Amino acid sequence: MKKLLVVLLALATVAAFGAVNFSGRLDVTPSLSYDASTLALTTSIGASAYLNVDASNESTTTGFYVTFASYLQSITNSYVWQKLYSSESLNVTLKAGLLSRGWSYVTGSYFSWIVTPPYFVFDNYTPAVAVDMDIANGDVSDNLALYVYSPTSTTADLDIYNSFSFGFLNVGLMAQGVFSAVSGGTFGFPEIGGSVSADLAEALNIENATLNAFAYLSVDPAATDLSTMLSDYLVGVDFGYDKLSGSLAFAKGNMLGIGVQTKILSPVTLGADVVWSDLTDVTNFGLDAYASWKTEILNHRISVKYASDTVTLAWRMRVYF
């Protein structure tokens, strides 16, 4: 009888969902490091993983999304959602949970992240209730989201995020802490983050090539002078032709990075990055070179990294599921 009840409960649970999708990644990375300044040799085996669960009912009007990270030790970017309105040109969705918005560690597309490249961060990641509106009309699409959250137990705040796309141009804008900026009887401006990217290969009708320029910035209107008002920025370009591709990026703090990769020896991809953390000191740089390939379900990458007088040899084995 108990077995029958378990089976019936399982069937009822499955029937409640029209679709349940699982996806994730598992990395295992043995490495060997040598520090020339101390003559020390160290070994390690790193491991990380995450699991995404995305589910909805049969009519896809309600659902949830959960990300389990670091071997299920933490939960990130997880929420429930319900469609309030749906048509060809407009979709309105209510979301509630641990919601991320903005830009987190964005950089060029072809950096390997073995050595940390120039990057940009302007995001918020808190429990919130959001109204998310997707608008589409021909080649024009727009996403507008309003996030209401509580920084403290006695206050509420508002973030506004908008992403606009038209042809080869994409523009993003985020206002963070709108209520805080106008509270207390004095009107102020919230912190602003923005992004713009342009597919120049499409705009210039360049065939069989990649040429994408991008820029990110954050502005603090409360800053006392113009030099500190631009609190962060990142500019760069992704480029590619045939089997060669790469990225060039420059960030605040005089940080410059160049990353290239080639598939000339396909199925093996060869790549290298060089990053100067501060161009005023050209001797302060990080360098890596790597080779990656796939064997059945395993994605392999063997890399050599140099940074701060330390050379590290690593073999990363990754599986997607």
Side-chain angles (χ1 to χ4, degrees), residues 296-310:
E296 302 298 340
I297 66 170
L298 283 181
N299 295 270
H300 301 270
R301 186 181 72 184
I302 294 179
S303 62
V304 178
K305 162 186 165 183
Y306 169 81
S308 303
D309 293 326
T310 300

Side-chain angles (χ1 to χ4, degrees), residues 52 90 148 172-173 178 183 248 295:
N52 299 319
L90 175 63
V148 179
L173 183 67
V178 176
S183 64
L248 173 68
T295 304

Side-chain angles (χ1 to χ4, degrees), residues 9 14 29 54 56 75 90 95 98 117 144 147 152 154 169 176 210 218 221 225 233 254 282 308:
L9 180 60
V14 172
T29 309
D54 190 357
S56 67
I75 300 177
L90 175 63
K95 297 179 180 180
L98 190 56
L144 174 64
Y147 299 85
T152 69
T154 58
L169 185 66
Q176 191 175 101
T210 298
S218 61
D225 58 81
Y233 64 85
N254 294 320
V282 295
S308 303

Side-chain angles (χ1 to χ4, degrees), residues 22-265:
F22 298 90
S23 63
R25 190 185 75 197
L26 170 64
D27 288 354
V28 179
T29 309
S31 64
L32 176 66
S33 297
Y34 174 72
D35 189 336
S37 62
T38 62
L39 305 181
L41 188 67
T42 58
T43 62
S44 67
I45 300 178
S48 63
Y50 68 79
L51 171 67
N52 299 319
V53 183
D54 190 357
S56 67
N57 66 328
E58 289 187 7
S59 58
T60 63
T61 55
T62 59
F64 68 87
Y65 179 87
V66 181
T67 298
F68 302 92
S70 300
Y71 284 107
L72 313 185
Q73 294 174 0
S74 62
I75 300 177
T76 64
N77 197 30
S78 306
Y79 54 88
V80 296
W81 58 265
Q82 178 176 350
K83 283 187 179 180
L84 302 179
Y85 179 82
S86 181
S87 68
E88 290 186 2
S89 59
L90 175 63
N91 286 280
V92 182
T93 305
L94 177 68
K95 297 179 180 180
L98 190 56
L99 298 171
S100 63
R101 57 267 192 195
W103 305 270
S104 180
Y105 295 97
V106 291
T107 186
S109 299
Y110 298 102
F111 287 109
S112 67
W113 282 94
I114 299 171
V115 177
T116 304
Y119 63 87
F120 173 83
V121 174
F122 186 90
D123 64 353
N124 201 348
Y125 186 67
T126 57
V129 176
V131 177
D132 192 302
M133 291 167 280
D134 287 307
I135 305 167
N137 185 8
D139 292 334
V140 178
S141 63
D142 188 80
N143 172 253
L144 174 64
L146 309 177
Y147 299 85
V148 179
Y149 57 101
S150 297
T152 69
S153 60
T154 58
T155 62
D157 223 324
L158 172 70
D159 290 347
I160 302 174
Y161 177 79
N162 189 76
S163 178
F164 173 80
S165 177
F166 175 69
F168 63 87
L169 185 66
N170 295 276
V171 179
L173 183 67
M174 181 176 172
Q176 191 175 101
V178 176
F179 290 164
S180 297
V182 298
S183 64
T186 58
F187 182 80
F189 292 96
E191 291 186 81
I192 302 295
S195 71
V196 59
S197 65
D199 189 339
L200 300 180
E202 180 182 346
L204 300 174
N205 198 26
I206 303 174
E207 297 182 355
N208 302 319
T210 298
L211 187 60
N212 184 59
F214 55 85
Y216 298 86
L217 59 87
S218 61
V219 177
D220 183 6
T224 56
D225 58 81
L226 293 176
S227 63
T228 57
M229 186 172 290
L230 184 61
S231 52
D232 197 8
Y233 64 85
L234 171 75
V235 295
V237 62
D238 293 330
F239 57 88
Y241 182 75
D242 195 16
K243 295 182 179 181
L244 176 68
S245 54
S247 293
L248 173 68
F250 182 79
K252 186 176 182 180
N254 294 320
M255 190 175 186
L256 175 68
I258 303 171
V260 294
Q261 62 176 228
T262 179
K263 295 184 179 181
I264 194 171
L265 297 179

Side-chain angles (χ1 to χ4, degrees), residues 3-19:
K3 291 183 179 180
L4 179 60
L5 289 175
V6 171
V7 172
L8 291 175
L9 180 60
L11 291 174
T13 302
V14 172
F17 297 100

